[in-house]
Amino acid sequence: MTTSDPDSLRLDRAGILLGIRRMAPLSLFVIVFGLAFGVAALQQGLSGLETLLMSGLVFAGAAQFGTLELWGPQIPLVPLIAITFAINARHLLMGASLYPSLRDLPTASRYLSVAVLSDANWAMAMAERRHPTQRLGILVGGGIALWLAWMLGTSLGVIFGSGITDPERFGLDAIMGCFLLAMLVGGRPAPWVLVPWSAAALAALAAMAWLPPHSHVIVGALAGGITGLLLPRKEPAS
Amino acid sequence: MTLPASTLGVIAAIALMALATYLTRAGGIFVMSRVPIGPKVERFINAMASSVLVAVITPMAVNGDWGARLALAATLAVMLLLHKPLPAIGAGILTAALWRFLVP
């Protein structure tokens, strides 16, 4: 048994399988979102193969939906890339927050691991407090599960056309919010974080009201981070 | 700058979109590997990490309908009681579906 920094992550097959298993329930719902995307992309005029290619390579539902209306006879590149970057910019902060436990990995696996970084597996990895060494497996395994579900859903949407037309009726649109909230609270946060969280919530709402679209996540997260930095030290050493 | 929606044009646009997305995924660890991580940076990261989720969830609650709000409230309540994500998420979805079924 090699004992190194207990927070450092290891990536092995068992960890990845654990991540896949832990993410399986949510992945079922991701299939529904993928289906909805496949249907919407076909209606926008993309071919089935193009739609699958996008889901496979981009693998970012919010950005794919958010830029869908740009796909016409002429594809405007600047808005396409700018909106994609803006919607996905939260990944920058999520990746940064993973770094302290990820730095012991070889550079190549470090950059390969974040290829499947997305909201759900990141949140699940960060909520894993009891076994921080499993974090990377949850990130990568969970990411693989989400990717497979996203592809399966997109394929179903492309093949069967209209499936579930209004997921709102079944409350399915609420699932991502509920999942992220469960991960947020499931990390058993210390009471002091309520201060940065309040700052983050207020800043996000202010950004939604007054700043360009899609900036609210970044603004809120930075506000929360800065507030945490300015708070008097009470945080237990992790 | 536009690309024609030919097969090649669409593939190129998708590739650019994928590249932009990957840069956001890799950018965080790229920058952090060049920043010395002292206690201050760590405090910033710790507070920022959970604030990302707060900033994603809050607008869902504020801009959503009552179904979405009650779903989040139900998830929070069950999560605080049981500390188990699956029942909490299930309660959330059920609440949203029930609300929309009963209050059309």
Side-chain angles (χ1 to χ4, degrees):
Chain A
M1 232 172 111
T2 53
T3 45
S4 56
D5 178 4
D7 264 359
S8 76
L9 303 184
R10 258 156 295 168
L11 185 56
D12 52 17
R13 184 191 302 213
I16 292 177
L17 287 177
L18 174 84
I20 293 176
R21 247 196 340 268
R22 294 266 298 268
M23 196 55 87
L26 186 77
S27 298
L28 295 180
F29 292 97
V30 171
I31 294 175
V32 178
F33 288 118
L35 197 154
F37 177 74
V39 172
L42 283 196
Q43 284 167 356
Q44 189 65 29
L46 285 163
S47 78
L49 277 180
E50 289 160 356
T51 306
L52 279 170
L53 189 70
M54 191 197 292
S55 278
L57 291 180
V58 179
F59 178 50
Q64 288 175 236
F65 271 111
T67 55
L68 204 50
E69 59 175 21
L70 297 176
W71 299 87
Q74 295 286 319
I75 307 159
L77 286 183
V78 175
L80 179 71
I81 292 169
I83 296 175
T84 301
F85 195 84
I87 295 180
N88 288 326
R90 66 185 187 285
H91 291 145
L92 290 166
L93 306 182
M94 288 156 46
S97 71
L98 279 172
Y99 183 75
S101 7
L102 202 146
R103 61 186 149 196
D104 295 338
L105 282 182
T107 312
S109 20
R110 205 190 283 169
Y111 284 103
L112 208 57
S113 303
V114 292
V116 288
L117 169 67
S118 68
D119 295 336
N121 55 338
W122 172 79
M124 190 178 263
M126 296 303 282
E128 182 55 68
R129 285 277 178 84
R130 276 170 302 173
H131 310 287
T133 48
Q134 293 177 349
R135 259 189 204 163
L136 191 53
I138 292 173
L139 177 79
V140 175
I144 291 172
L146 292 170
W147 188 86
L148 290 173
W150 184 237
M151 288 304 280
L152 178 61
T154 306
S155 312
L156 291 175
V158 163
I159 293 166
F160 294 110
S162 61
I164 296 178
T165 46
D166 53 342
E168 285 85 5
R169 265 193 70 79
F170 307 100
L172 293 179
D173 60 315
I175 180 157
M176 198 39 98
C178 292
F179 174 84
L180 296 176
L181 181 61
M183 291 300 119
L184 179 70
V185 184
R188 305 251 185 152
W192 68 270
V193 295
L194 288 177
V195 182
W197 286 3
S198 310
L202 290 176
L205 292 177
M208 282 204 100
W210 295 306
L211 291 180
H214 310 303
S215 66
H216 63 279
V217 177
I218 299 289
V219 171
L222 289 176
I226 292 167
T227 309
L229 184 64
L230 296 177
L231 275 181
R233 288 190 68 94
K234 260 191 197 158
E235 175 187 354
S238 55
Chain B
M1 276 204 301
T2 60
L3 280 176
S6 62
T7 308
L8 212 61
V10 170
I11 291 176
I14 290 172
L16 285 170
M17 205 181 158
L19 182 67
T21 305
Y22 180 73
L23 288 179
T24 63
R25 291 192 160 116
I29 56 171
F30 178 80
V31 170
M32 291 310 293
S33 66
R34 274 148 187 81
V35 174
I37 302 182
K40 279 198 163 180
V41 175
E42 200 170 332
R43 282 160 64 77
F44 175 75
I45 291 176
N46 282 344
M48 180 199 71
S50 48
S51 295
V52 172
L53 291 181
V54 175
V56 171
I57 297 165
T58 308
M60 291 182 180
V62 173
N63 298 334
D65 65 341
W66 274 103
R69 286 175 201 156
L70 291 173
L72 289 171
T75 298
L76 182 64
V78 176
M79 199 62 203
L80 290 176
L81 277 175
L82 302 180
H83 296 289
K84 291 204 170 113
L86 280 184
I89 297 163
I93 298 169
L94 203 64
T95 306
L98 266 179
W99 176 265
R100 287 167 190 162
F101 179 71
L102 297 173
V103 189

